[in-house]
Amino acid sequence: MNKRPALDVRDSITLGIFTALALMLNMLLLAALHFLPGTLVLFKEAVVALVTGPVYVLMLIKVPRRGAFTANGLATAVAFMLTGFFTVSLIVAVGGILADTVAAAGDFRRPWTNVAAYVVFRVAQAVGTYIPFYLWADSFVGELAASGKVNQEFLDIFVNNLSPAMGGAILLANVAAACLGGIMGYRMLDRHFRRAGIA
């Protein structure tokens, strides 16, 4: 396998654009899906994984270099850190590095390794979001309630419904949604982006 060159200036600019687009879409969707009724809100990360898949696929087509997922992981980590969610910040940053490693196994060109890398990246964010409710639920929920960032009704849905079985269902939903989102991205690439000369 030939080692790909490092990011150049053009790649860095392109990656910056895609990183900003993916982050904005990620945050807007999470905010909008915050209002899903009942336990459906627990699956909002899966919906985000499905919708943002094509953005990440196009990013890897335009910038098939190590650092693509790492940059997105760091940008997402900073965004969550600024809002006070430190656990998800750490895990999503690590997830970006791991996703780059998976994509590198296919030289950033093979669809299935790129989709697998995207799955790793999205699952990392989901795990970072939910794991505090399992490991230190009382202190985490107390901090969120005291900060006023999340209303009590929303927190009650998490506390009352995040059983181990529900956690497994959420994890599987995120894996499936990320797989489907990545596959959709490649289908859209073949049908629309290449015809339009975007990829």
Side-chain angles (χ1 to χ4, degrees):
M1 182 184 298
N2 295 326
K3 185 177 180 180
R4 289 193 173 275
L7 292 171
D8 57 21
V9 174
R10 181 178 179 181
D11 286 338
S12 297
I13 293 172
T14 303
L15 181 56
I17 293 170
F18 276 103
T19 298
L21 176 61
L23 179 60
M24 180 177 66
L25 188 58
N26 186 13
M27 294 305 179
L28 286 175
L29 283 170
L30 286 176
L33 295 170
H34 186 80
F35 299 100
L36 283 172
T39 56
L40 287 178
V41 75
L42 299 175
F43 294 89
K44 64 179 182 174
E45 292 283 352
V47 177
V48 175
L50 176 66
V51 175
T52 59
V55 176
Y56 285 91
V57 167
L58 188 55
M59 175 191 72
L60 289 173
I61 295 298
K62 301 296 285 186
V63 189
R65 303 280 188 275
R66 183 178 289 277
F69 278 112
T70 299
N72 274 271
L74 291 174
T76 305
V78 169
F80 278 113
M81 189 174 294
L82 291 175
T83 54
F85 294 96
F86 299 105
T87 303
V88 65
S89 298
L90 176 61
I91 295 178
V92 78
V94 173
I97 296 170
L98 292 176
D100 260 339
T101 302
V102 174
D107 203 26
F108 297 92
R109 293 292 191 188
R110 295 177 185 170
W112 287 110
T113 50
N114 284 347
V115 170
Y118 178 61
V119 171
V120 169
F121 184 74
R122 294 306 321 180
V123 167
Q125 182 168 317
V127 170
T129 298
Y130 297 112
I131 202 168
F133 288 97
Y134 289 99
L135 298 184
W136 49 86
D138 291 341
S139 60
F140 183 65
V141 170
E143 289 174 6
L144 287 179
S147 69
K149 297 172 187 173
V150 183
N151 65 55
Q152 189 61 49
E153 181 181 358
F154 182 80
L155 287 174
D156 288 343
I157 293 173
F158 276 70
V159 172
N160 295 331
N161 294 282
L162 275 181
S163 63
M166 179 62 81
I170 291 170
L171 182 62
L172 289 175
N174 275 273
V175 171
C179 283
L180 186 57
I183 293 169
M184 285 172 49
Y186 276 101
R187 292 284 179 87
M188 292 174 65
L189 176 72
D190 291 333
R191 293 184 181 179
H192 304 292
F193 295 145
R194 285 189 173 128
R195 289 182 186 177
I198 297 174

mmCIF file of all heavy atoms in Angstrom, residues 49-91:
data_model
loop_
_atom_site.group_PDB
_atom_site.id
_atom_site.type_symbol
_atom_site.label_atom_id
_atom_site.label_comp_id
_atom_site.label_asym_id
_atom_site.label_seq_id
_atom_site.Cartn_x
_atom_site.Cartn_y
_atom_site.Cartn_z
ATOM 1 N N ALA A 49 -26.635 10.281 12.599
ATOM 2 C CA ALA A 49 -25.712 9.392 11.887
ATOM 3 C C ALA A 49 -26.220 9.074 10.487
ATOM 4 O O ALA A 49 -25.441 9.016 9.524
ATOM 5 C CB ALA A 49 -25.512 8.103 12.679
ATOM 6 N N LEU A 50 -27.519 8.888 10.364
ATOM 7 C CA LEU A 50 -28.118 8.589 9.063
ATOM 8 C C LEU A 50 -28.022 9.786 8.121
ATOM 9 O O LEU A 50 -27.598 9.659 6.969
ATOM 10 C CB LEU A 50 -29.579 8.189 9.256
ATOM 11 C CG LEU A 50 -30.391 7.927 7.985
ATOM 12 C CD1 LEU A 50 -29.846 6.704 7.252
ATOM 13 C CD2 LEU A 50 -31.870 7.744 8.327
ATOM 14 N N VAL A 51 -28.385 10.957 8.619
ATOM 15 C CA VAL A 51 -28.483 12.142 7.761
ATOM 16 C C VAL A 51 -27.117 12.681 7.340
ATOM 17 O O VAL A 51 -26.941 13.142 6.204
ATOM 18 C CB VAL A 51 -29.294 13.241 8.480
ATOM 19 C CG1 VAL A 51 -29.297 14.533 7.659
ATOM 20 C CG2 VAL A 51 -30.729 12.771 8.718
ATOM 21 N N THR A 52 -26.139 12.624 8.237
ATOM 22 C CA THR A 52 -24.844 13.228 7.934
ATOM 23 C C THR A 52 -23.896 12.296 7.181
ATOM 24 O O THR A 52 -22.821 12.728 6.747
ATOM 25 C CB THR A 52 -24.137 13.704 9.221
ATOM 26 O OG1 THR A 52 -23.953 12.593 10.117
ATOM 27 C CG2 THR A 52 -24.950 14.776 9.919
ATOM 28 N N GLY A 53 -24.290 11.044 6.979
ATOM 29 C CA GLY A 53 -23.438 10.101 6.274
ATOM 30 C C GLY A 53 -22.922 10.601 4.928
ATOM 31 O O GLY A 53 -21.710 10.527 4.652
ATOM 32 N N PRO A 54 -23.788 11.115 4.056
ATOM 33 C CA PRO A 54 -23.310 11.590 2.746
ATOM 34 C C PRO A 54 -22.258 12.692 2.834
ATOM 35 O O PRO A 54 -21.373 12.769 1.982
ATOM 36 C CB PRO A 54 -24.601 12.099 2.073
ATOM 37 C CG PRO A 54 -25.684 11.268 2.692
ATOM 38 C CD PRO A 54 -25.261 11.103 4.125
ATOM 39 N N VAL A 55 -22.338 13.530 3.860
ATOM 40 C CA VAL A 55 -21.353 14.608 4.010
ATOM 41 C C VAL A 55 -19.965 14.020 4.254
ATOM 42 O O VAL A 55 -18.970 14.443 3.646
ATOM 43 C CB VAL A 55 -21.737 15.552 5.170
ATOM 44 C CG1 VAL A 55 -20.660 16.606 5.386
ATOM 45 C CG2 VAL A 55 -23.079 16.207 4.898
ATOM 46 N N TYR A 56 -19.893 13.015 5.115
ATOM 47 C CA TYR A 56 -18.608 12.399 5.430
ATOM 48 C C TYR A 56 -18.056 11.593 4.259
ATOM 49 O O TYR A 56 -16.846 11.555 4.031
ATOM 50 C CB TYR A 56 -18.728 11.538 6.679
ATOM 51 C CG TYR A 56 -18.808 12.348 7.942
ATOM 52 C CD1 TYR A 56 -20.031 12.757 8.460
ATOM 53 C CD2 TYR A 56 -17.661 12.741 8.611
ATOM 54 C CE1 TYR A 56 -20.110 13.528 9.610
ATOM 55 C CE2 TYR A 56 -17.721 13.507 9.767
ATOM 56 C CZ TYR A 56 -18.959 13.897 10.251
ATOM 57 O OH TYR A 56 -19.015 14.670 11.394
ATOM 58 N N VAL A 57 -18.938 10.936 3.510
ATOM 59 C CA VAL A 57 -18.488 10.206 2.326
ATOM 60 C C VAL A 57 -17.872 11.164 1.313
ATOM 61 O O VAL A 57 -16.778 10.917 0.782
ATOM 62 C CB VAL A 57 -19.660 9.431 1.690
ATOM 63 C CG1 VAL A 57 -19.286 8.940 0.293
ATOM 64 C CG2 VAL A 57 -20.058 8.255 2.568
ATOM 65 N N LEU A 58 -18.550 12.265 1.034
ATOM 66 C CA LEU A 58 -18.026 13.238 0.083
ATOM 67 C C LEU A 58 -16.711 13.839 0.592
ATOM 68 O O LEU A 58 -15.789 14.086 -0.184
ATOM 69 C CB LEU A 58 -19.053 14.338 -0.169
ATOM 70 C CG LEU A 58 -18.716 15.334 -1.281
ATOM 71 C CD1 LEU A 58 -18.429 14.614 -2.599
ATOM 72 C CD2 LEU A 58 -19.845 16.349 -1.457
ATOM 73 N N MET A 59 -16.627 14.045 1.910
ATOM 74 C CA MET A 59 -15.392 14.561 2.499
ATOM 75 C C MET A 59 -14.227 13.620 2.223
ATOM 76 O O MET A 59 -13.125 14.057 1.831
ATOM 77 C CB MET A 59 -15.561 14.733 4.014
ATOM 78 C CG MET A 59 -14.298 15.145 4.757
ATOM 79 S SD MET A 59 -14.474 15.027 6.557
ATOM 80 C CE MET A 59 -14.464 13.234 6.790
ATOM 81 N N LEU A 60 -14.446 12.305 2.392
ATOM 82 C CA LEU A 60 -13.379 11.340 2.165
ATOM 83 C C LEU A 60 -13.021 11.215 0.688
ATOM 84 O O LEU A 60 -11.878 10.894 0.349
ATOM 85 C CB LEU A 60 -13.778 9.974 2.725
ATOM 86 C CG LEU A 60 -13.819 9.880 4.248
ATOM 87 C CD1 LEU A 60 -14.386 8.527 4.677
ATOM 88 C CD2 LEU A 60 -12.442 10.081 4.852
ATOM 89 N N ILE A 61 -13.991 11.451 -0.175
ATOM 90 C CA ILE A 61 -13.702 11.429 -1.606
ATOM 91 C C ILE A 61 -12.842 12.634 -1.989
ATOM 92 O O ILE A 61 -11.887 12.518 -2.767
ATOM 93 C CB ILE A 61 -15.014 11.439 -2.425
ATOM 94 C CG1 ILE A 61 -15.815 10.158 -2.171
ATOM 95 C CG2 ILE A 61 -14.725 11.604 -3.919
ATOM 96 C CD1 ILE A 61 -15.109 8.878 -2.578
ATOM 97 N N LYS A 62 -13.161 13.780 -1.431
ATOM 98 C CA LYS A 62 -12.423 15.002 -1.764
ATOM 99 C C LYS A 62 -11.080 15.081 -1.044
ATOM 100 O O LYS A 62 -10.123 15.649 -1.561
ATOM 101 C CB LYS A 62 -13.268 16.234 -1.407
ATOM 102 C CG LYS A 62 -14.607 16.304 -2.118
ATOM 103 C CD LYS A 62 -14.453 16.434 -3.615
ATOM 104 C CE LYS A 62 -14.019 17.818 -4.029
ATOM 105 N NZ LYS A 62 -14.005 17.976 -5.505
ATOM 106 N N VAL A 63 -11.022 14.528 0.187
ATOM 107 C CA VAL A 63 -9.782 14.583 0.974
ATOM 108 C C VAL A 63 -9.478 13.179 1.516
ATOM 109 O O VAL A 63 -9.705 12.892 2.690
ATOM 110 C CB VAL A 63 -9.887 15.588 2.140
ATOM 111 C CG1 VAL A 63 -8.518 15.786 2.809
ATOM 112 C CG2 VAL A 63 -10.442 16.919 1.687
ATOM 113 N N PRO A 64 -8.969 12.299 0.649
ATOM 114 C CA PRO A 64 -8.656 10.932 1.097
ATOM 115 C C PRO A 64 -7.325 10.876 1.827
ATOM 116 O O PRO A 64 -6.352 10.277 1.367
ATOM 117 C CB PRO A 64 -8.622 10.154 -0.223
ATOM 118 C CG PRO A 64 -8.142 11.160 -1.220
ATOM 119 C CD PRO A 64 -8.716 12.481 -0.792
ATOM 120 N N ARG A 65 -7.275 11.505 2.977
ATOM 121 C CA ARG A 65 -6.029 11.627 3.720
ATOM 122 C C ARG A 65 -6.274 11.352 5.203
ATOM 123 O O ARG A 65 -7.361 11.612 5.731
ATOM 124 C CB ARG A 65 -5.436 13.040 3.607
ATOM 125 C CG ARG A 65 -5.166 13.527 2.192
ATOM 126 C CD ARG A 65 -3.875 12.962 1.639
ATOM 127 N NE ARG A 65 -3.529 13.589 0.368
ATOM 128 C CZ ARG A 65 -3.997 13.196 -0.811
ATOM 129 N NH1 ARG A 65 -4.841 12.182 -0.879
ATOM 130 N NH2 ARG A 65 -3.627 13.817 -1.924
ATOM 131 N N ARG A 66 -5.241 10.871 5.873
ATOM 132 C CA ARG A 66 -5.317 10.741 7.327
ATOM 133 C C ARG A 66 -5.459 12.131 7.932
ATOM 134 O O ARG A 66 -4.755 13.068 7.556
ATOM 135 C CB ARG A 66 -4.058 10.071 7.872
ATOM 136 C CG ARG A 66 -4.114 9.839 9.387
ATOM 137 C CD ARG A 66 -2.865 9.127 9.861
ATOM 138 N NE ARG A 66 -2.813 7.744 9.429
ATOM 139 C CZ ARG A 66 -3.423 6.737 10.051
ATOM 140 N NH1 ARG A 66 -4.162 6.974 11.133
ATOM 141 N NH2 ARG A 66 -3.314 5.499 9.603
ATOM 142 N N GLY A 67 -6.351 12.270 8.841
ATOM 143 C CA GLY A 67 -6.614 13.557 9.470
ATOM 144 C C GLY A 67 -8.028 14.039 9.239
ATOM 145 O O GLY A 67 -8.510 14.926 9.941
ATOM 146 N N ALA A 68 -8.732 13.432 8.261
ATOM 147 C CA ALA A 68 -10.093 13.866 7.954
ATOM 148 C C ALA A 68 -11.027 13.656 9.151
ATOM 149 O O ALA A 68 -11.701 14.588 9.612
ATOM 150 C CB ALA A 68 -10.619 13.130 6.730
ATOM 151 N N PHE A 69 -11.054 12.435 9.668
ATOM 152 C CA PHE A 69 -11.917 12.158 10.818
ATOM 153 C C PHE A 69 -11.354 12.779 12.098
ATOM 154 O O PHE A 69 -12.111 13.218 12.965
ATOM 155 C CB PHE A 69 -12.088 10.646 11.009
ATOM 156 C CG PHE A 69 -13.118 10.036 10.128
ATOM 157 C CD1 PHE A 69 -12.757 9.164 9.115
ATOM 158 C CD2 PHE A 69 -14.463 10.329 10.304
ATOM 159 C CE1 PHE A 69 -13.712 8.583 8.295
ATOM 160 C CE2 PHE A 69 -15.440 9.767 9.485
ATOM 161 C CZ PHE A 69 -15.051 8.888 8.474
ATOM 162 N N THR A 70 -10.033 12.817 12.205
ATOM 163 C CA THR A 70 -9.433 13.413 13.398
ATOM 164 C C THR A 70 -9.805 14.880 13.519
ATOM 165 O O THR A 70 -10.157 15.357 14.607
ATOM 166 C CB THR A 70 -7.899 13.270 13.356
ATOM 167 O OG1 THR A 70 -7.559 11.874 13.332
ATOM 168 C CG2 THR A 70 -7.257 13.912 14.577
ATOM 169 N N ALA A 71 -9.761 15.602 12.417
ATOM 170 C CA ALA A 71 -10.140 17.018 12.427
ATOM 171 C C ALA A 71 -11.596 17.189 12.826
ATOM 172 O O ALA A 71 -11.943 18.070 13.622
ATOM 173 C CB ALA A 71 -9.886 17.637 11.058
ATOM 174 N N ASN A 72 -12.460 16.337 12.280
ATOM 175 C CA ASN A 72 -13.874 16.408 12.647
ATOM 176 C C ASN A 72 -14.086 16.049 14.108
ATOM 177 O O ASN A 72 -14.914 16.670 14.793
ATOM 178 C CB ASN A 72 -14.683 15.464 11.751
ATOM 179 C CG ASN A 72 -15.089 16.097 10.452
ATOM 180 O OD1 ASN A 72 -16.145 16.709 10.365
ATOM 181 N ND2 ASN A 72 -14.246 15.991 9.446
ATOM 182 N N GLY A 73 -13.346 15.053 14.592
ATOM 183 C CA GLY A 73 -13.466 14.675 15.991
ATOM 184 C C GLY A 73 -13.043 15.790 16.922
ATOM 185 O O GLY A 73 -13.712 16.071 17.925
ATOM 186 N N LEU A 74 -11.949 16.459 16.584
ATOM 187 C CA LEU A 74 -11.466 17.547 17.428
ATOM 188 C C LEU A 74 -12.422 18.735 17.404
ATOM 189 O O LEU A 74 -12.685 19.359 18.442
ATOM 190 C CB LEU A 74 -10.070 17.980 16.974
ATOM 191 C CG LEU A 74 -8.952 16.962 17.227
ATOM 192 C CD1 LEU A 74 -7.644 17.447 16.613
ATOM 193 C CD2 LEU A 74 -8.778 16.709 18.725
ATOM 194 N N ALA A 75 -12.949 19.066 16.217
ATOM 195 C CA ALA A 75 -13.895 20.182 16.112
ATOM 196 C C ALA A 75 -15.164 19.899 16.909
ATOM 197 O O ALA A 75 -15.675 20.762 17.635
ATOM 198 C CB ALA A 75 -14.235 20.442 14.652
ATOM 199 N N THR A 76 -15.663 18.672 16.794
ATOM 200 C CA THR A 76 -16.859 18.284 17.543
ATOM 201 C C THR A 76 -16.571 18.275 19.040
ATOM 202 O O THR A 76 -17.405 18.701 19.851
ATOM 203 C CB THR A 76 -17.348 16.893 17.088
ATOM 204 O OG1 THR A 76 -17.539 16.900 15.678
ATOM 205 C CG2 THR A 76 -18.659 16.525 17.778
ATOM 206 N N ALA A 77 -15.385 17.804 19.406
ATOM 207 C CA ALA A 77 -14.993 17.771 20.817
ATOM 208 C C ALA A 77 -14.965 19.174 21.411
ATOM 209 O O ALA A 77 -15.442 19.403 22.530
ATOM 210 C CB ALA A 77 -13.631 17.107 20.970
ATOM 211 N N VAL A 78 -14.408 20.115 20.676
ATOM 212 C CA VAL A 78 -14.355 21.502 21.157
ATOM 213 C C VAL A 78 -15.764 22.062 21.338
ATOM 214 O O VAL A 78 -16.065 22.722 22.343
ATOM 215 C CB VAL A 78 -13.546 22.389 20.188
ATOM 216 C CG1 VAL A 78 -13.705 23.858 20.541
ATOM 217 C CG2 VAL A 78 -12.074 22.002 20.223
ATOM 218 N N ALA A 79 -16.647 21.773 20.374
ATOM 219 C CA ALA A 79 -18.022 22.269 20.463
ATOM 220 C C ALA A 79 -18.728 21.732 21.702
ATOM 221 O O ALA A 79 -19.403 22.476 22.429
ATOM 222 C CB ALA A 79 -18.793 21.891 19.202
ATOM 223 N N PHE A 80 -18.563 20.446 21.969
ATOM 224 C CA PHE A 80 -19.192 19.859 23.153
ATOM 225 C C PHE A 80 -18.533 20.355 24.437
ATOM 226 O O PHE A 80 -19.202 20.557 25.451
ATOM 227 C CB PHE A 80 -19.140 18.331 23.087
ATOM 228 C CG PHE A 80 -20.218 17.718 22.251
ATOM 229 C CD1 PHE A 80 -19.917 17.062 21.064
ATOM 230 C CD2 PHE A 80 -21.543 17.791 22.638
ATOM 231 C CE1 PHE A 80 -20.911 16.502 20.284
ATOM 232 C CE2 PHE A 80 -22.556 17.236 21.870
ATOM 233 C CZ PHE A 80 -22.239 16.595 20.674
ATOM 234 N N MET A 81 -17.227 20.561 24.394
ATOM 235 C CA MET A 81 -16.531 21.046 25.576
ATOM 236 C C MET A 81 -17.001 22.455 25.953
ATOM 237 O O MET A 81 -17.185 22.766 27.133
ATOM 238 C CB MET A 81 -15.022 21.055 25.332
ATOM 239 C CG MET A 81 -14.188 21.346 26.571
ATOM 240 S SD MET A 81 -12.414 21.171 26.256
ATOM 241 C CE MET A 81 -12.312 19.413 25.922
ATOM 242 N N LEU A 82 -17.236 23.281 24.943
ATOM 243 C CA LEU A 82 -17.703 24.641 25.194
ATOM 244 C C LEU A 82 -19.096 24.670 25.807
ATOM 245 O O LEU A 82 -19.464 25.633 26.479
ATOM 246 C CB LEU A 82 -17.686 25.449 23.896
ATOM 247 C CG LEU A 82 -16.297 25.786 23.335
ATOM 248 C CD1 LEU A 82 -16.417 26.476 21.981
ATOM 249 C CD2 LEU A 82 -15.515 26.668 24.316
ATOM 250 N N THR A 83 -19.865 23.615 25.557
ATOM 251 C CA THR A 83 -21.200 23.534 26.150
ATOM 252 C C THR A 83 -21.207 22.724 27.443
ATOM 253 O O THR A 83 -22.270 22.481 28.026
ATOM 254 C CB THR A 83 -22.204 22.918 25.152
ATOM 255 O OG1 THR A 83 -21.707 21.654 24.694
ATOM 256 C CG2 THR A 83 -22.397 23.834 23.950
ATOM 257 N N GLY A 84 -20.024 22.282 27.876
ATOM 258 C CA GLY A 84 -19.920 21.633 29.175
ATOM 259 C C GLY A 84 -20.038 20.125 29.176
ATOM 260 O O GLY A 84 -20.083 19.505 30.240
ATOM 261 N N PHE A 85 -20.035 19.501 28.001
ATOM 262 C CA PHE A 85 -20.159 18.041 27.936
ATOM 263 C C PHE A 85 -18.772 17.444 27.700
ATOM 264 O O PHE A 85 -18.381 17.146 26.565
ATOM 265 C CB PHE A 85 -21.133 17.645 26.831
ATOM 266 C CG PHE A 85 -22.542 18.084 27.097
ATOM 267 C CD1 PHE A 85 -23.031 19.266 26.558
ATOM 268 C CD2 PHE A 85 -23.376 17.332 27.911
ATOM 269 C CE1 PHE A 85 -24.327 19.685 26.807
ATOM 270 C CE2 PHE A 85 -24.675 17.739 28.169
ATOM 271 C CZ PHE A 85 -25.157 18.919 27.621
ATOM 272 N N PHE A 86 -18.038 17.259 28.776
ATOM 273 C CA PHE A 86 -16.630 16.894 28.671
ATOM 274 C C PHE A 86 -16.418 15.424 28.303
ATOM 275 O O PHE A 86 -15.454 15.097 27.611
ATOM 276 C CB PHE A 86 -15.911 17.227 29.983
ATOM 277 C CG PHE A 86 -15.958 18.693 30.319
ATOM 278 C CD1 PHE A 86 -16.795 19.165 31.319
ATOM 279 C CD2 PHE A 86 -15.186 19.592 29.609
ATOM 280 C CE1 PHE A 86 -16.847 20.521 31.609
ATOM 281 C CE2 PHE A 86 -15.223 20.948 29.891
ATOM 282 C CZ PHE A 86 -16.064 21.413 30.900
ATOM 283 N N THR A 87 -17.287 14.547 28.769
ATOM 284 C CA THR A 87 -17.116 13.127 28.465
ATOM 285 C C THR A 87 -17.243 12.864 26.978
ATOM 286 O O THR A 87 -16.408 12.178 26.380
ATOM 287 C CB THR A 87 -18.142 12.276 29.233
ATOM 288 O OG1 THR A 87 -18.013 12.523 30.630
ATOM 289 C CG2 THR A 87 -17.917 10.795 28.959
ATOM 290 N N VAL A 88 -18.302 13.410 26.364
ATOM 291 C CA VAL A 88 -18.474 13.208 24.929
ATOM 292 C C VAL A 88 -17.340 13.860 24.161
ATOM 293 O O VAL A 88 -16.909 13.364 23.114
ATOM 294 C CB VAL A 88 -19.854 13.733 24.455
ATOM 295 C CG1 VAL A 88 -19.970 15.224 24.605
ATOM 296 C CG2 VAL A 88 -20.101 13.327 23.005
ATOM 297 N N SER A 89 -16.793 14.963 24.674
ATOM 298 C CA SER A 89 -15.669 15.629 24.008
ATOM 299 C C SER A 89 -14.473 14.700 23.904
ATOM 300 O O SER A 89 -13.856 14.553 22.838
ATOM 301 C CB SER A 89 -15.270 16.896 24.776
ATOM 302 O OG SER A 89 -16.313 17.836 24.804
ATOM 303 N N LEU A 90 -14.136 14.060 25.007
ATOM 304 C CA LEU A 90 -12.983 13.166 25.028
ATOM 305 C C LEU A 90 -13.194 11.960 24.126
ATOM 306 O O LEU A 90 -12.324 11.600 23.313
ATOM 307 C CB LEU A 90 -12.719 12.706 26.463
ATOM 308 C CG LEU A 90 -11.596 11.674 26.648
ATOM 309 C CD1 LEU A 90 -10.269 12.234 26.178
ATOM 310 C CD2 LEU A 90 -11.518 11.233 28.100
ATOM 311 N N ILE A 91 -14.363 11.341 24.228
ATOM 312 C CA ILE A 91 -14.611 10.108 23.482
ATOM 313 C C ILE A 91 -14.708 10.367 21.988
ATOM 314 O O ILE A 91 -14.207 9.591 21.172
ATOM 315 C CB ILE A 91 -15.866 9.398 24.017
ATOM 316 C CG1 ILE A 91 -15.620 8.931 25.457
ATOM 317 C CG2 ILE A 91 -16.247 8.210 23.136
ATOM 318 C CD1 ILE A 91 -16.798 8.255 26.117
#
